[in-house]
Amino acid sequence: MAVPPIVASIAALRARLAAERRNGARIGFVPTMGALHDGHLSLVRETQNRADKVVVSIFVNPTQFAPHEDFDRYPRTLEADAEKLAAAGGTDLIFAPSVAEMYPQGFATKIDVGGPSHGLETDFRPHFFSGVATVVAKLLLAVMPEVATFGEKDYQQLLVVRRMAADLGLATEIFGAPIVRETDGLAMSSRNAYLQPDDRRVAGQLNVVLKRVIAALHNGEPILAAEAEGKRALLEAGFASVDYVAVRHATTLAPLDSLHHPARVLAAAKVGNTRLIDNMAV
Ligand code: PAF
């Protein structure tokens, strides 16, 4: 399969999409930071089911990384990514802008979303969601898709983007696609590439512990006790540190004191130097 065309400027992207729209195409969009894996390819398939033409963006967004985080070493593999998208099929256009295209000299806008961005990731990565919201808003305004797909793997991010799209009246449906997992249940992530073999074994326990937390809740264990037990189990499994194991309202992420609402259990923990996140419906 031929590699999809790659455009680097917003002007070129808009010109191509205007032509598609004149032909009546419904545009779908998958924003990524590249280093593509099967999880991303499943986002493309989900989008293909909801649109006539699919745009994938590949942009490692500097504003969502803190100075001490992995922006510099984040894998940048545009050629391999384009080949993966070609082999999988379903991508019609790749948008791979430079940092200068997305953040030209003098760029001074920042989008801060309240609501679901409070707590959890924000307690540990305070800069993260304003970086994500700002770049996603800019990408959505560049592509103007009918539908954009975000993985449930980054569950809080999905809710933040949904909140932003609703609040700003963006004409894009935000679709949340299910997590794709390795055979041992580890949620697929570009950062899994950092894991050394021993760490990889430990990483596979994150989803096992989340399932145990859910089973304990279903057996009537109080939420606080189940969360504490989940944390303890992760440390015992070999995680170096646990940022949170939290049972939250599935659509607002508000803390819960009972399971009378749809709930989600979310966790973030470090194995070696690699920080992993995962979540499941309770
Ligand atoms: O989930 C990601 O890969 C990124 O946070 C996103 C949505 C592409 C924004 O940079």
Side-chain angles (χ1 to χ4, degrees):
M1 265 253 205
V3 165
I6 302 179
V7 293
S9 75
I10 293 174
L13 172 78
R14 285 200 173 131
R16 279 188 181 258
L17 292 179
E20 298 294 357
R21 284 204 174 87
R22 277 196 295 276
N23 293 331
R26 183 180 151 85
I27 307 296
F29 178 47
V30 181
T32 81
M33 298 209 298
L36 301 182
H37 49 65
D38 287 352
H40 295 111
L41 300 181
S42 89
L43 301 183
V44 173
R45 282 194 300 277
E46 295 280 5
T47 311
Q48 235 188 323
N49 293 336
R50 292 168 177 79
D52 305 310
K53 296 286 170 189
V54 177
V55 180
V56 174
S57 67
I58 297 181
F59 178 63
V60 184
N61 173 36
T63 64
Q64 67 191 74
F65 291 79
H68 65 278
E69 291 183 341
D70 55 345
F71 176 69
D72 288 334
R73 74 175 179 130
Y74 199 88
R76 287 161 175 84
T77 53
L78 180 58
E79 219 172 286
D81 289 343
E83 271 158 25
K84 268 186 204 164
L85 291 172
T91 299
D92 298 286
L93 185 61
I94 297 173
F95 177 47
S98 64
V99 172
E101 178 71 9
M102 293 300 283
Y103 299 107
Q105 191 83 39
F107 188 98
T109 295
K110 195 156 125 182
I111 298 186
D112 270 315
V113 182
S117 75
H118 293 306
L120 302 174
E121 285 302 287
T122 298
D123 289 343
F124 299 89
R125 307 182 72 196
H127 57 282
F128 179 65
F129 286 122
S130 69
V132 168
T134 305
V135 81
V136 169
K138 182 148 184 172
L139 289 166
L140 291 177
L141 290 168
V143 179
M144 299 274 208
E146 272 70 30
V147 60
T149 305
F150 292 78
E152 285 188 342
K153 152 86 176 12
D154 295 281
Y155 192 78
Q156 191 176 8
Q157 168 176 280
L158 167 66
L159 297 189
V160 168
V161 168
R162 252 193 203 137
R163 181 76 266 155
M164 176 190 73
D167 290 354
L168 298 183
L170 299 181
T172 298
E173 177 204 340
I174 305 299
F175 176 70
I179 298 176
V180 179
R181 296 180 181 278
E182 305 284 356
T183 48
D184 66 349
L186 175 65
M188 287 191 186
S189 161
S190 305
R191 289 192 168 96
N192 292 352
Y194 298 151
L195 296 169
Q196 299 304 313
D198 281 352
D199 293 342
R200 174 63 189 80
R201 268 190 294 281
V202 173
Q205 290 302 302
L206 182 52
N207 75 96
V208 175
V209 169
L210 287 188
K211 283 188 203 135
R212 248 190 265 154
V213 170
I214 293 169
L217 291 167
H218 288 171
N219 283 336
E221 185 140 335
I223 288 175
L224 281 180
E227 290 171 342
E229 174 53 24
K231 259 186 157 181
R232 197 201 52 74
L234 287 175
L235 292 171
E236 197 175 284
F239 281 85
S241 59
V242 180
D243 288 348
Y244 56 84
V245 173
V247 178
R248 294 295 177 93
H249 190 291
T251 52
T252 65
L253 295 184
L256 293 175
D257 45 27
S258 75
L259 287 186
H260 289 123
H261 302 276
R264 198 98 190 167
V265 58
L266 305 100
K270 261 193 176 169
V271 53
N273 288 325
T274 306
R275 187 171 182 277
L276 301 176
I277 59 173
D278 198 353
N279 68 88
M280 289 178 192
V282 173

